[in-house]
Amino acid sequence: MRVSKLLLPTLREVPSDAEIMSHRLMLRAGYIRKMATGIYSYLPLGLRSVRKIEQIVREEMDRAGAQELLMPALLPAEAYQASGRWEVFGDNMFKLKDRNDRDFCLGPTHEELFTQTVINEVRSYKEYPMTLYQIQTKYRDEARPRFGLMRGREFVMKDAYSFDRDEAGLDESYKKMYDAYCRIFTRLGLDFTIVDADSGAMGGSGSQEFMVKSPVGEDGIAYCDACGYAANYEKAVCIPQKKEYPQGELELTKVETPDVHTIEELVGFFETEPYMFAKTILYKADDKYIAAMVRGDREINEVKLKNLVGCVDDLELAEPFMVRELTHAEVGFAGPIGLEIEVYADNEVAEMKNFIIGANETGYHFSNVNIGRDFTPNHIADIRVIETGDACPKCGQPIKTAQGIEVGHIFKLGTKYSDALGLTYTDESGEAKVVVMGCYGIGVTRCLAAAIEQSYDDNGMVLPVAVAPYQAIVIPVNTKEEAQVQMAEEIYKTLQENGIEVLLDDRSERVGVKFKDADLIGVPVRIVVGKKCGEGIVEFKKRTDAESQDMTAEDATNAVISYIKENL
Ligand code: ATP
Ligand code: MG
């Protein structure tokens, strides 16, 4: 492709709502343009990268024996109503009506439709195991669309679904997808970590996520270098940490604590350590209110809590007026003593002695509190967020933590959808059985954002060869010099003949502009044809190198070809 003909609308400035580098660079390099919040068009370069990711995903799905099909994105409501997800998705689903007033939605994920397809089309149990997939645009009216392609409202996902006769079959199908995912993310050049993930309050016997560690990732992951344990925050098991508390049971004391609200203020007031406090936080869980307690220096993990409570809708902080009504005090003085709602205490709270809590009275706390004597939680469980330095639940060594971008998710669904929609089969002995399912997603467009986040520098993207829209670029320094143009054209042609996806920057721009653009859009390797072309010498430089090397035109051409082949 000649750069003079390429739609390459690079930008110097980007809007301030583009906060993270992948978003900024994709706008600057003319990969994408925003059409509405969380909705983007893909310009030629962006689309080429997306197509490449799709192709790698497709090849590995096919290699794993999965079959590609394509569902509509505009879907009738019935299947989602039958599974209950019409309500569960709630505002996250784009819902609409047709001219006859029938309900439709734009598909956020397709478990129901694939299950329905198998119910309709599979004739015999002998057709199982079967894995079907599609690469398709998904729609989710996300509460916080942001970060460009990272969290869009319209995005491309590969979703696959496996159908097996029994759990053992599911285990095998799941393993195949696990292996395929490892191959896909390796080929994409992503440095990924596989973590155990939460499989939700209902159903599902196992789930793992593929994460790319990055400070801009929205998921917390805990991992142990000593034994290889890795889990996301929702799933990571917290081992209670031992602390020294005053011995015996001291006398419960009500202490006046005027204008003291936060843990920091309390620590200052009582001149003690944060672990001497237990904080009590009130939540609305579906239509009831509950209280949750963790040690003062810990955070509540709302997913763990939600699963424990078994609530279906969102678990939300209780409204301030309800906190006042339930505690008879201003916000900031809640405590378990005398509270008439269920109390969920973290495992660590159960180990505390002679500690401090809110007194459910404005301006007062209790000190020397002891569980059993002063109050008894209704539930004691792991409901906190794991932290750096916590003991690894597998080997006891200190845990490390990082933020991660979830690029893929594999999930043993079990019979959740086959039960709900009636996907059964009759086996050899004439017995009716329920089909066992798995589902497997990859965020195709999010993978592009992750690849950029993983590697960029001051000049722009440093893309893996497999993901870059073009693999190489040839730049004549001065397009008025016939010899330079001639040699650049020849190298361009040879590279094309060798299957390299190459750009020729034939614009009559200053060479500095050409270098800037090539770096910005992340071309993995370049050849510059300049003054030494009379001696047959050109410059060869990888995007990751600091300096270029002089080589003969032939050597440089071969170096490009072998570099690209080695990195695909
Ligand atoms: P998240 O926790 O990030 O909201 P999810 O767990 O809801 O994602 P899944 O239903 O597991 O997402 O979807 C499969 C994959 O699709 C995810 O692993 C992710 O890579 C991608 N994905 C999900 N939501 C979005 C989005 N809003 N924009 C881009 N990619 C997304
Ligand atoms: Mg997920």
Side-chain angles (χ1 to χ4, degrees), residues 1-3 6-7 31 44-46 48-49 52 463-473 492 496 500-504 518 521-525 564:
M1 180 80 199
R2 287 169 192 275
V3 178
L6 182 66
L7 179 58
Y31 274 50
L45 291 184
R48 280 183 74 95
S49 283
K52 287 187 173 195
L463 286 172
V465 171
V467 176
Y470 286 93
Q471 297 162 340
I473 187 165
Y492 174 58
Q496 276 186 326
I500 303 299
E501 299 170 4
V502 56
L503 289 168
L504 175 68
I521 67 177
V523 189
V525 58
I564 299 303

PDB file of all heavy atoms in Angstrom, residues 1-3 6-7 31 44-46 48-49 52 463-473 492 496 500-504 518 521-525 564:
ATOM      1  N   MET A   1       0.843  -1.200   0.000  1.00  0.00           N
ATOM      2  CA  MET A   1       0.000   0.000   0.000  1.00  0.00           C
ATOM      3  C   MET A   1       0.875   1.246   0.000  1.00  0.00           C
ATOM      4  O   MET A   1       1.855   1.311   0.743  1.00  0.00           O
ATOM      5  CB  MET A   1      -0.874  -0.018   1.266  1.00  0.00           C
ATOM      6  CG  MET A   1      -1.799   1.166   1.396  1.00  0.00           C
ATOM      7  SD  MET A   1      -3.265   0.946   0.379  1.00  0.00           S
ATOM      8  CE  MET A   1      -3.875   2.597   0.255  1.00  0.00           C
ATOM      9  N   ARG A   2       0.500   2.197  -0.854  1.00  0.00           N
ATOM     10  CA  ARG A   2       1.230   3.464  -0.898  1.00  0.00           C
ATOM     11  C   ARG A   2       0.625   4.418   0.138  1.00  0.00           C
ATOM     12  O   ARG A   2      -0.596   4.610   0.152  1.00  0.00           O
ATOM     13  CB  ARG A   2       1.117   4.079  -2.291  1.00  0.00           C
ATOM     14  CG  ARG A   2       1.939   3.345  -3.288  1.00  0.00           C
ATOM     15  CD  ARG A   2       1.664   3.737  -4.710  1.00  0.00           C
ATOM     16  NE  ARG A   2       2.328   2.754  -5.553  1.00  0.00           N
ATOM     17  CZ  ARG A   2       3.614   2.837  -5.911  1.00  0.00           C
ATOM     18  NH1 ARG A   2       4.332   3.879  -5.565  1.00  0.00           N
ATOM     19  NH2 ARG A   2       4.160   1.882  -6.624  1.00  0.00           N
ATOM     20  N   VAL A   3       1.473   4.989   0.942  1.00  0.00           N
ATOM     21  CA  VAL A   3       0.970   5.855   2.002  1.00  0.00           C
ATOM     22  C   VAL A   3       0.227   7.054   1.418  1.00  0.00           C
ATOM     23  O   VAL A   3      -0.729   7.559   2.000  1.00  0.00           O
ATOM     24  CB  VAL A   3       2.108   6.287   2.969  1.00  0.00           C
ATOM     25  CG1 VAL A   3       1.592   7.230   4.036  1.00  0.00           C
ATOM     26  CG2 VAL A   3       2.735   5.058   3.623  1.00  0.00           C
ATOM     27  N   LEU A   6      -3.270   6.084   1.347  1.00  0.00           N
ATOM     28  CA  LEU A   6      -3.845   5.509   2.567  1.00  0.00           C
ATOM     29  C   LEU A   6      -4.640   6.553   3.347  1.00  0.00           C
ATOM     30  O   LEU A   6      -4.183   7.678   3.512  1.00  0.00           O
ATOM     31  CB  LEU A   6      -2.693   4.985   3.441  1.00  0.00           C
ATOM     32  CG  LEU A   6      -3.043   4.300   4.757  1.00  0.00           C
ATOM     33  CD1 LEU A   6      -3.786   3.000   4.533  1.00  0.00           C
ATOM     34  CD2 LEU A   6      -1.758   4.027   5.556  1.00  0.00           C
ATOM     35  N   LEU A   7      -5.814   6.166   3.818  1.00  0.00           N
ATOM     36  CA  LEU A   7      -6.571   7.062   4.700  1.00  0.00           C
ATOM     37  C   LEU A   7      -5.895   7.016   6.078  1.00  0.00           C
ATOM     38  O   LEU A   7      -6.085   6.076   6.841  1.00  0.00           O
ATOM     39  CB  LEU A   7      -8.028   6.597   4.795  1.00  0.00           C
ATOM     40  CG  LEU A   7      -8.936   7.434   5.714  1.00  0.00           C
ATOM     41  CD1 LEU A   7      -8.988   8.891   5.303  1.00  0.00           C
ATOM     42  CD2 LEU A   7     -10.334   6.842   5.752  1.00  0.00           C
ATOM     43  N   TYR A  31      -6.646   5.135  13.816  1.00  0.00           N
ATOM     44  CA  TYR A  31      -7.178   3.761  13.822  1.00  0.00           C
ATOM     45  C   TYR A  31      -8.696   3.765  13.996  1.00  0.00           C
ATOM     46  O   TYR A  31      -9.394   2.947  13.427  1.00  0.00           O
ATOM     47  CB  TYR A  31      -6.585   2.965  14.996  1.00  0.00           C
ATOM     48  CG  TYR A  31      -5.269   2.289  14.751  1.00  0.00           C
ATOM     49  CD1 TYR A  31      -4.194   2.972  14.204  1.00  0.00           C
ATOM     50  CD2 TYR A  31      -5.079   0.944  15.102  1.00  0.00           C
ATOM     51  CE1 TYR A  31      -2.968   2.345  14.007  1.00  0.00           C
ATOM     52  CE2 TYR A  31      -3.867   0.314  14.913  1.00  0.00           C
ATOM     53  CZ  TYR A  31      -2.816   1.015  14.372  1.00  0.00           C
ATOM     54  OH  TYR A  31      -1.620   0.399  14.182  1.00  0.00           O
ATOM     55  N   PRO A  44      -9.226   2.411   8.207  1.00  0.00           N
ATOM     56  CA  PRO A  44      -8.510   1.281   7.585  1.00  0.00           C
ATOM     57  C   PRO A  44      -7.449   0.615   8.469  1.00  0.00           C
ATOM     58  O   PRO A  44      -7.404  -0.618   8.534  1.00  0.00           O
ATOM     59  CB  PRO A  44      -7.894   1.915   6.347  1.00  0.00           C
ATOM     60  CG  PRO A  44      -8.879   2.975   5.960  1.00  0.00           C
ATOM     61  CD  PRO A  44      -9.376   3.543   7.267  1.00  0.00           C
ATOM     62  N   LEU A  45      -6.624   1.378   9.147  1.00  0.00           N
ATOM     63  CA  LEU A  45      -5.573   0.736   9.953  1.00  0.00           C
ATOM     64  C   LEU A  45      -6.172  -0.051  11.111  1.00  0.00           C
ATOM     65  O   LEU A  45      -5.785  -1.194  11.371  1.00  0.00           O
ATOM     66  CB  LEU A  45      -4.586   1.785  10.489  1.00  0.00           C
ATOM     67  CG  LEU A  45      -3.690   2.470   9.476  1.00  0.00           C
ATOM     68  CD1 LEU A  45      -2.711   3.390  10.194  1.00  0.00           C
ATOM     69  CD2 LEU A  45      -2.929   1.459   8.626  1.00  0.00           C
ATOM     70  N   GLY A  46      -7.122   0.553  11.810  1.00  0.00           N
ATOM     71  CA  GLY A  46      -7.750  -0.123  12.944  1.00  0.00           C
ATOM     72  C   GLY A  46      -8.443  -1.397  12.499  1.00  0.00           C
ATOM     73  O   GLY A  46      -8.326  -2.453  13.140  1.00  0.00           O
ATOM     74  N   ARG A  48      -7.783  -3.257   9.916  1.00  0.00           N
ATOM     75  CA  ARG A  48      -6.814  -4.312   9.561  1.00  0.00           C
ATOM     76  C   ARG A  48      -6.350  -5.048  10.808  1.00  0.00           C
ATOM     77  O   ARG A  48      -6.258  -6.281  10.813  1.00  0.00           O
ATOM     78  CB  ARG A  48      -5.597  -3.706   8.854  1.00  0.00           C
ATOM     79  CG  ARG A  48      -5.818  -3.401   7.396  1.00  0.00           C
ATOM     80  CD  ARG A  48      -4.539  -2.871   6.777  1.00  0.00           C
ATOM     81  NE  ARG A  48      -3.547  -3.914   6.576  1.00  0.00           N
ATOM     82  CZ  ARG A  48      -3.386  -4.580   5.449  1.00  0.00           C
ATOM     83  NH1 ARG A  48      -4.137  -4.303   4.406  1.00  0.00           N
ATOM     84  NH2 ARG A  48      -2.473  -5.526   5.346  1.00  0.00           N
ATOM     85  N   SER A  49      -6.060  -4.311  11.873  1.00  0.00           N
ATOM     86  CA  SER A  49      -5.618  -4.972  13.108  1.00  0.00           C
ATOM     87  C   SER A  49      -6.719  -5.864  13.681  1.00  0.00           C
ATOM     88  O   SER A  49      -6.458  -6.998  14.094  1.00  0.00           O
ATOM     89  CB  SER A  49      -5.214  -3.934  14.156  1.00  0.00           C
ATOM     90  OG  SER A  49      -3.946  -3.418  13.847  1.00  0.00           O
ATOM     91  N   LYS A  52      -6.993  -9.019  11.763  1.00  0.00           N
ATOM     92  CA  LYS A  52      -5.888  -9.949  12.033  1.00  0.00           C
ATOM     93  C   LYS A  52      -6.127 -10.723  13.323  1.00  0.00           C
ATOM     94  O   LYS A  52      -5.874 -11.924  13.398  1.00  0.00           O
ATOM     95  CB  LYS A  52      -4.569  -9.185  12.131  1.00  0.00           C
ATOM     96  CG  LYS A  52      -4.107  -8.714  10.783  1.00  0.00           C
ATOM     97  CD  LYS A  52      -2.733  -8.122  10.883  1.00  0.00           C
ATOM     98  CE  LYS A  52      -2.250  -7.839   9.476  1.00  0.00           C
ATOM     99  NZ  LYS A  52      -0.818  -7.594   9.459  1.00  0.00           N
ATOM    100  N   LEU A 463       3.708  -2.307  18.271  1.00  0.00           N
ATOM    101  CA  LEU A 463       2.780  -3.443  18.194  1.00  0.00           C
ATOM    102  C   LEU A 463       3.482  -4.760  17.900  1.00  0.00           C
ATOM    103  O   LEU A 463       4.477  -4.790  17.170  1.00  0.00           O
ATOM    104  CB  LEU A 463       1.764  -3.185  17.079  1.00  0.00           C
ATOM    105  CG  LEU A 463       0.692  -2.143  17.376  1.00  0.00           C
ATOM    106  CD1 LEU A 463      -0.114  -1.853  16.123  1.00  0.00           C
ATOM    107  CD2 LEU A 463      -0.221  -2.635  18.493  1.00  0.00           C
ATOM    108  N   PRO A 464       2.937  -5.859  18.440  1.00  0.00           N
ATOM    109  CA  PRO A 464       3.428  -7.172  18.018  1.00  0.00           C
ATOM    110  C   PRO A 464       3.194  -7.324  16.509  1.00  0.00           C
ATOM    111  O   PRO A 464       2.209  -6.796  15.979  1.00  0.00           O
ATOM    112  CB  PRO A 464       2.541  -8.160  18.781  1.00  0.00           C
ATOM    113  CG  PRO A 464       1.841  -7.371  19.825  1.00  0.00           C
ATOM    114  CD  PRO A 464       1.818  -5.950  19.381  1.00  0.00           C
ATOM    115  N   VAL A 465       4.093  -8.038  15.847  1.00  0.00           N
ATOM    116  CA  VAL A 465       3.984  -8.200  14.393  1.00  0.00           C
ATOM    117  C   VAL A 465       2.606  -8.736  13.987  1.00  0.00           C
ATOM    118  O   VAL A 465       2.004  -8.292  13.010  1.00  0.00           O
ATOM    119  CB  VAL A 465       5.110  -9.137  13.881  1.00  0.00           C
ATOM    120  CG1 VAL A 465       4.899  -9.502  12.422  1.00  0.00           C
ATOM    121  CG2 VAL A 465       6.467  -8.467  14.089  1.00  0.00           C
ATOM    122  N   ALA A 466       2.089  -9.676  14.770  1.00  0.00           N
ATOM    123  CA  ALA A 466       0.825 -10.322  14.394  1.00  0.00           C
ATOM    124  C   ALA A 466      -0.359  -9.362  14.410  1.00  0.00           C
ATOM    125  O   ALA A 466      -1.371  -9.605  13.772  1.00  0.00           O
ATOM    126  CB  ALA A 466       0.546 -11.491  15.335  1.00  0.00           C
ATOM    127  N   VAL A 467      -0.242  -8.283  15.144  1.00  0.00           N
ATOM    128  CA  VAL A 467      -1.377  -7.387  15.341  1.00  0.00           C
ATOM    129  C   VAL A 467      -1.240  -6.095  14.521  1.00  0.00           C
ATOM    130  O   VAL A 467      -2.222  -5.429  14.223  1.00  0.00           O
ATOM    131  CB  VAL A 467      -1.513  -7.054  16.854  1.00  0.00           C
ATOM    132  CG1 VAL A 467      -2.606  -6.041  17.116  1.00  0.00           C
ATOM    133  CG2 VAL A 467      -1.772  -8.323  17.660  1.00  0.00           C
ATOM    134  N   ALA A 468      -0.010  -5.747  14.154  1.00  0.00           N
ATOM    135  CA  ALA A 468       0.218  -4.489  13.434  1.00  0.00           C
ATOM    136  C   ALA A 468      -0.519  -4.499  12.096  1.00  0.00           C
ATOM    137  O   ALA A 468      -0.527  -5.515  11.402  1.00  0.00           O
ATOM    138  CB  ALA A 468       1.716  -4.294  13.202  1.00  0.00           C
ATOM    139  N   PRO A 469      -1.139  -3.379  11.709  1.00  0.00           N
ATOM    140  CA  PRO A 469      -1.900  -3.355  10.450  1.00  0.00           C
ATOM    141  C   PRO A 469      -1.012  -3.612   9.232  1.00  0.00           C
ATOM    142  O   PRO A 469      -1.425  -4.269   8.285  1.00  0.00           O
ATOM    143  CB  PRO A 469      -2.501  -1.952  10.393  1.00  0.00           C
ATOM    144  CG  PRO A 469      -1.975  -1.194  11.552  1.00  0.00           C
ATOM    145  CD  PRO A 469      -1.254  -2.119  12.456  1.00  0.00           C
ATOM    146  N   TYR A 470       0.188  -3.065   9.259  1.00  0.00           N
ATOM    147  CA  TYR A 470       1.188  -3.362   8.231  1.00  0.00           C
ATOM    148  C   TYR A 470       2.453  -3.823   8.918  1.00  0.00           C
ATOM    149  O   TYR A 470       2.789  -3.343   9.996  1.00  0.00           O
ATOM    150  CB  TYR A 470       1.459  -2.127   7.359  1.00  0.00           C
ATOM    151  CG  TYR A 470       0.312  -1.855   6.410  1.00  0.00           C
ATOM    152  CD1 TYR A 470      -0.710  -0.988   6.779  1.00  0.00           C
ATOM    153  CD2 TYR A 470       0.231  -2.517   5.181  1.00  0.00           C
ATOM    154  CE1 TYR A 470      -1.787  -0.767   5.925  1.00  0.00           C
ATOM    155  CE2 TYR A 470      -0.830  -2.293   4.326  1.00  0.00           C
ATOM    156  CZ  TYR A 470      -1.842  -1.429   4.699  1.00  0.00           C
ATOM    157  OH  TYR A 470      -2.895  -1.233   3.857  1.00  0.00           O
ATOM    158  N   GLN A 471       3.155  -4.752   8.266  1.00  0.00           N
ATOM    159  CA  GLN A 471       4.315  -5.359   8.929  1.00  0.00           C
ATOM    160  C   GLN A 471       5.587  -4.543   8.736  1.00  0.00           C
ATOM    161  O   GLN A 471       6.495  -4.590   9.552  1.00  0.00           O
ATOM    162  CB  GLN A 471       4.508  -6.776   8.374  1.00  0.00           C
ATOM    163  CG  GLN A 471       3.325  -7.676   8.691  1.00  0.00           C
ATOM    164  CD  GLN A 471       3.282  -8.918   7.808  1.00  0.00           C
ATOM    165  OE1 GLN A 471       3.889  -8.954   6.733  1.00  0.00           O
ATOM    166  NE2 GLN A 471       2.566  -9.925   8.264  1.00  0.00           N
ATOM    167  N   ALA A 472       5.684  -3.848   7.608  1.00  0.00           N
ATOM    168  CA  ALA A 472       6.940  -3.152   7.287  1.00  0.00           C
ATOM    169  C   ALA A 472       6.629  -1.885   6.516  1.00  0.00           C
ATOM    170  O   ALA A 472       5.537  -1.729   5.951  1.00  0.00           O
ATOM    171  CB  ALA A 472       7.835  -4.066   6.454  1.00  0.00           C
ATOM    172  N   ILE A 473       7.615  -0.972   6.489  1.00  0.00           N
ATOM    173  CA  ILE A 473       7.451   0.248   5.702  1.00  0.00           C
ATOM    174  C   ILE A 473       8.786   0.574   5.024  1.00  0.00           C
ATOM    175  O   ILE A 473       9.858   0.346   5.614  1.00  0.00           O
ATOM    176  CB  ILE A 473       6.960   1.427   6.581  1.00  0.00           C
ATOM    177  CG1 ILE A 473       6.623   2.644   5.718  1.00  0.00           C
ATOM    178  CG2 ILE A 473       7.966   1.796   7.667  1.00  0.00           C
ATOM    179  CD1 ILE A 473       5.794   3.707   6.440  1.00  0.00           C
ATOM    180  N   TYR A 492      10.175  -2.395  -2.101  1.00  0.00           N
ATOM    181  CA  TYR A 492       8.719  -2.520  -1.857  1.00  0.00           C
ATOM    182  C   TYR A 492       8.160  -3.701  -2.634  1.00  0.00           C
ATOM    183  O   TYR A 492       7.438  -4.554  -2.086  1.00  0.00           O
ATOM    184  CB  TYR A 492       8.081  -1.193  -2.280  1.00  0.00           C
ATOM    185  CG  TYR A 492       6.572  -1.117  -2.247  1.00  0.00           C
ATOM    186  CD1 TYR A 492       5.853  -1.349  -1.078  1.00  0.00           C
ATOM    187  CD2 TYR A 492       5.858  -0.760  -3.401  1.00  0.00           C
ATOM    188  CE1 TYR A 492       4.454  -1.235  -1.063  1.00  0.00           C
ATOM    189  CE2 TYR A 492       4.470  -0.647  -3.386  1.00  0.00           C
ATOM    190  CZ  TYR A 492       3.770  -0.889  -2.220  1.00  0.00           C
ATOM    191  OH  TYR A 492       2.414  -0.761  -2.206  1.00  0.00           O
ATOM    192  N   GLN A 496       6.672  -7.232  -1.189  1.00  0.00           N
ATOM    193  CA  GLN A 496       5.307  -7.674  -1.541  1.00  0.00           C
ATOM    194  C   GLN A 496       5.324  -9.077  -2.134  1.00  0.00           C
ATOM    195  O   GLN A 496       4.512  -9.921  -1.770  1.00  0.00           O
ATOM    196  CB  GLN A 496       4.697  -6.709  -2.551  1.00  0.00           C
ATOM    197  CG  GLN A 496       4.069  -5.499  -1.892  1.00  0.00           C
ATOM    198  CD  GLN A 496       3.349  -4.612  -2.884  1.00  0.00           C
ATOM    199  OE1 GLN A 496       3.771  -4.490  -4.038  1.00  0.00           O
ATOM    200  NE2 GLN A 496       2.283  -3.994  -2.449  1.00  0.00           N
ATOM    201  N   ILE A 500       5.064  -9.975   2.321  1.00  0.00           N
ATOM    202  CA  ILE A 500       5.115  -9.024   3.442  1.00  0.00           C
ATOM    203  C   ILE A 500       4.066  -7.929   3.202  1.00  0.00           C
ATOM    204  O   ILE A 500       3.931  -7.418   2.091  1.00  0.00           O
ATOM    205  CB  ILE A 500       6.523  -8.386   3.560  1.00  0.00           C
ATOM    206  CG1 ILE A 500       7.600  -9.461   3.716  1.00  0.00           C
ATOM    207  CG2 ILE A 500       6.567  -7.382   4.720  1.00  0.00           C
ATOM    208  CD1 ILE A 500       7.469 -10.328   4.947  1.00  0.00           C
ATOM    209  N   GLU A 501       3.337  -7.600   4.252  1.00  0.00           N
ATOM    210  CA  GLU A 501       2.349  -6.516   4.149  1.00  0.00           C
ATOM    211  C   GLU A 501       3.096  -5.220   4.381  1.00  0.00           C
ATOM    212  O   GLU A 501       3.418  -4.855   5.514  1.00  0.00           O
ATOM    213  CB  GLU A 501       1.248  -6.716   5.184  1.00  0.00           C
ATOM    214  CG  GLU A 501       0.512  -8.028   4.966  1.00  0.00           C
ATOM    215  CD  GLU A 501      -0.423  -8.369   6.101  1.00  0.00           C
ATOM    216  OE1 GLU A 501      -0.575  -7.554   7.038  1.00  0.00           O
ATOM    217  OE2 GLU A 501      -1.003  -9.455   6.069  1.00  0.00           O
ATOM    218  N   VAL A 502       3.405  -4.547   3.287  1.00  0.00           N
ATOM    219  CA  VAL A 502       4.359  -3.450   3.372  1.00  0.00           C
ATOM    220  C   VAL A 502       3.755  -2.137   2.878  1.00  0.00           C
ATOM    221  O   VAL A 502       2.934  -2.124   1.954  1.00  0.00           O
ATOM    222  CB  VAL A 502       5.656  -3.823   2.584  1.00  0.00           C
ATOM    223  CG1 VAL A 502       5.352  -4.181   1.148  1.00  0.00           C
ATOM    224  CG2 VAL A 502       6.699  -2.714   2.654  1.00  0.00           C
ATOM    225  N   LEU A 503       4.159  -1.055   3.537  1.00  0.00           N
ATOM    226  CA  LEU A 503       3.784   0.294   3.105  1.00  0.00           C
ATOM    227  C   LEU A 503       4.975   0.927   2.390  1.00  0.00           C
ATOM    228  O   LEU A 503       6.124   0.678   2.755  1.00  0.00           O
ATOM    229  CB  LEU A 503       3.445   1.163   4.320  1.00  0.00           C
ATOM    230  CG  LEU A 503       2.147   0.863   5.075  1.00  0.00           C
ATOM    231  CD1 LEU A 503       2.134   1.634   6.406  1.00  0.00           C
ATOM    232  CD2 LEU A 503       0.919   1.230   4.238  1.00  0.00           C
ATOM    233  N   LEU A 504       4.686   1.744   1.388  1.00  0.00           N
ATOM    234  CA  LEU A 504       5.725   2.560   0.752  1.00  0.00           C
ATOM    235  C   LEU A 504       5.339   4.013   1.009  1.00  0.00           C
ATOM    236  O   LEU A 504       4.290   4.467   0.537  1.00  0.00           O
ATOM    237  CB  LEU A 504       5.772   2.277  -0.753  1.00  0.00           C
ATOM    238  CG  LEU A 504       6.737   3.176  -1.543  1.00  0.00           C
ATOM    239  CD1 LEU A 504       8.184   2.879  -1.182  1.00  0.00           C
ATOM    240  CD2 LEU A 504       6.525   3.006  -3.046  1.00  0.00           C
ATOM    241  N   ALA A 518       5.359   6.615  10.899  1.00  0.00           N
ATOM    242  CA  ALA A 518       5.649   5.176  10.928  1.00  0.00           C
ATOM    243  C   ALA A 518       5.732   4.689  12.376  1.00  0.00           C
ATOM    244  O   ALA A 518       5.218   3.619  12.722  1.00  0.00           O
ATOM    245  CB  ALA A 518       6.948   4.880  10.187  1.00  0.00           C
ATOM    246  N   ILE A 521       2.063   4.789  14.152  1.00  0.00           N
ATOM    247  CA  ILE A 521       1.126   3.710  13.806  1.00  0.00           C
ATOM    248  C   ILE A 521       1.702   2.331  14.118  1.00  0.00           C
ATOM    249  O   ILE A 521       1.024   1.326  13.961  1.00  0.00           O
ATOM    250  CB  ILE A 521       0.656   3.785  12.327  1.00  0.00           C
ATOM    251  CG1 ILE A 521       1.801   3.519  11.351  1.00  0.00           C
ATOM    252  CG2 ILE A 521       0.006   5.149  12.041  1.00  0.00           C
ATOM    253  CD1 ILE A 521       1.362   3.505   9.886  1.00  0.00           C
ATOM    254  N   GLY A 522       2.943   2.298  14.580  1.00  0.00           N
ATOM    255  CA  GLY A 522       3.480   1.048  15.119  1.00  0.00           C
ATOM    256  C   GLY A 522       3.969   0.046  14.092  1.00  0.00           C
ATOM    257  O   GLY A 522       3.894  -1.159  14.335  1.00  0.00           O
ATOM    258  N   VAL A 523       4.494   0.499  12.971  1.00  0.00           N
ATOM    259  CA  VAL A 523       5.009  -0.458  11.970  1.00  0.00           C
ATOM    260  C   VAL A 523       6.236  -1.160  12.561  1.00  0.00           C
ATOM    261  O   VAL A 523       7.186  -0.486  12.978  1.00  0.00           O
ATOM    262  CB  VAL A 523       5.403   0.254  10.655  1.00  0.00           C
ATOM    263  CG1 VAL A 523       5.728  -0.777   9.584  1.00  0.00           C
ATOM    264  CG2 VAL A 523       4.292   1.178  10.185  1.00  0.00           C
ATOM    265  N   PRO A 524       6.247  -2.495  12.603  1.00  0.00           N
ATOM    266  CA  PRO A 524       7.306  -3.208  13.329  1.00  0.00           C
ATOM    267  C   PRO A 524       8.713  -3.061  12.762  1.00  0.00           C
ATOM    268  O   PRO A 524       9.680  -3.179  13.489  1.00  0.00           O
ATOM    269  CB  PRO A 524       6.868  -4.673  13.257  1.00  0.00           C
ATOM    270  CG  PRO A 524       5.409  -4.629  13.002  1.00  0.00           C
ATOM    271  CD  PRO A 524       5.157  -3.404  12.181  1.00  0.00           C
ATOM    272  N   VAL A 525       8.853  -2.800  11.456  1.00  0.00           N
ATOM    273  CA  VAL A 525      10.206  -2.715  10.913  1.00  0.00           C
ATOM    274  C   VAL A 525      10.208  -1.784   9.704  1.00  0.00           C
ATOM    275  O   VAL A 525       9.230  -1.715   8.954  1.00  0.00           O
ATOM    276  CB  VAL A 525      10.757  -4.136  10.582  1.00  0.00           C
ATOM    277  CG1 VAL A 525       9.870  -4.864   9.608  1.00  0.00           C
ATOM    278  CG2 VAL A 525      12.176  -4.090  10.058  1.00  0.00           C
ATOM    279  N   ILE A 564       9.899 -10.782  10.084  1.00  0.00           N
ATOM    280  CA  ILE A 564       8.433 -10.936  10.071  1.00  0.00           C
ATOM    281  C   ILE A 564       8.052 -12.411  10.211  1.00  0.00           C
ATOM    282  O   ILE A 564       7.200 -12.780  11.028  1.00  0.00           O
ATOM    283  CB  ILE A 564       7.813 -10.320   8.792  1.00  0.00           C
ATOM    284  CG1 ILE A 564       8.110  -8.814   8.713  1.00  0.00           C
ATOM    285  CG2 ILE A 564       6.315 -10.596   8.704  1.00  0.00           C
ATOM    286  CD1 ILE A 564       7.629  -7.999   9.897  1.00  0.00           C
TER     287      ILE A 564
END
